[in-house]
Amino acid sequence: MNSGFDNNDALKMLNVSDNLALKTDGKLLGIERRHTIDKEDTLHLNISAMRIMKYRFVINASDLDVPGRKAFITDKYTGTQTELDLTGNNVFDFSIEDNRVSAAEDRFSIVFKQAAPVLPLEFSSITAERNTDKTVSISWYTANEKNVQDYTIEQSNDGTTFHAIGTQIPGASPT
């Protein structure tokens, strides 16, 4: 299996109007079998024979959610990039207007970005103390702190649902 055109892919049969396909290796595909997305990647959408009207893409991205992965639908005509929810359906509305640029075949693409993996961080100690004013002071020390932008401090009332209550930059005195 590869990410280029091969016998596992199906060519797109074009309609008289309103065509949507994936474009790979210069071929228009109705079905494309690809490697698992594990790095930055782009799906090139191809539209053709579109009418002047409003359209809607419904993109099911379920089961694509991986730590550090983000995906965006890019619209060259409007110059926008909209983040996709990688756990379910996404609705993306657009219009074809009375000009060639809004109906450009390469107007849309879906771009996947993968953040660098987070390296394990080893905490050598962590303490929390209740203050007399009912606040809590937190102190921690790490053995291998490298390339850490910041720490997010979270709170939970039930041990399941957490929400951020502050951030701390590395090397500063945590509180």
Side-chain angles (χ1 to χ4, degrees):
M1 180 175 25
N2 66 54
S3 294
F5 177 73
D6 63 19
N7 289 333
N8 292 311
D9 303 321
L11 293 172
K12 168 73 175 167
M13 294 180 64
L14 297 177
N15 302 306
V16 174
S17 66
D18 302 326
N19 290 293
L20 172 64
L22 291 166
K23 189 169 189 175
T24 300
D25 292 344
K27 308 274 190 208
L28 297 181
L29 305 176
I31 299 172
E32 180 179 28
R33 184 173 179 194
R34 301 173 64 89
H35 279 292
T36 302
I37 298 168
D38 62 357
K39 57 185 181 332
E40 294 190 5
D41 201 356
T42 302
L43 301 176
H44 300 279
L45 304 180
N46 185 280
I47 59 173
S48 62
M50 305 297 278
R51 295 172 282 170
I52 298 170
M53 61 183 281
K54 293 181 180 184
Y55 289 90
R56 171 174 283 174
F57 288 147
V58 178
I59 301 167
N60 183 338
S62 62
D63 298 327
L64 292 176
D65 190 27
V66 171
R69 178 182 297 157
K70 293 187 179 224
F72 304 87
I73 185 163
T74 301
D75 183 341
K76 286 184 181 179
Y77 177 64
T78 62
T80 59
Q81 203 174 47
T82 305
E83 187 168 359
L84 298 175
D85 174 6
L86 296 179
T87 62
N89 284 334
N90 296 267
V91 175
F92 182 81
D93 294 318
F94 66 98
S95 296
I96 300 296
E97 299 169 1
D98 192 14
N99 64 61
R100 290 184 10 216
V101 181
S102 73
E105 290 183 353
D106 66 345
R107 177 176 170 178
F108 298 104
S109 60
I110 298 175
V111 177
F112 292 90
K113 296 184 179 185
Q114 187 70 39
V118 177
L119 299 175
L121 183 65
E122 184 180 326
F123 286 91
S124 55
S125 72
I126 207 168
T127 59
E129 294 181 17
R130 177 170 224 131
N131 299 321
T132 56
D133 63 356
K134 296 188 179 181
T135 61
V136 176
S137 293
I138 305 167
S139 299
W140 65 85
Y141 298 93
T142 61
N144 59 342
E145 182 177 275
K146 291 181 183 172
N147 299 322
V148 176
Q149 182 178 345
D150 59 31
Y151 295 97
T152 300
I153 303 164
E154 297 182 336
Q155 176 184 8
S156 173
N157 292 327
D158 60 10
T160 303
T161 306
F162 291 82
H163 65 277
I165 60 171
T167 59
Q168 183 68 41
I169 60 172
S173 300
T175 56

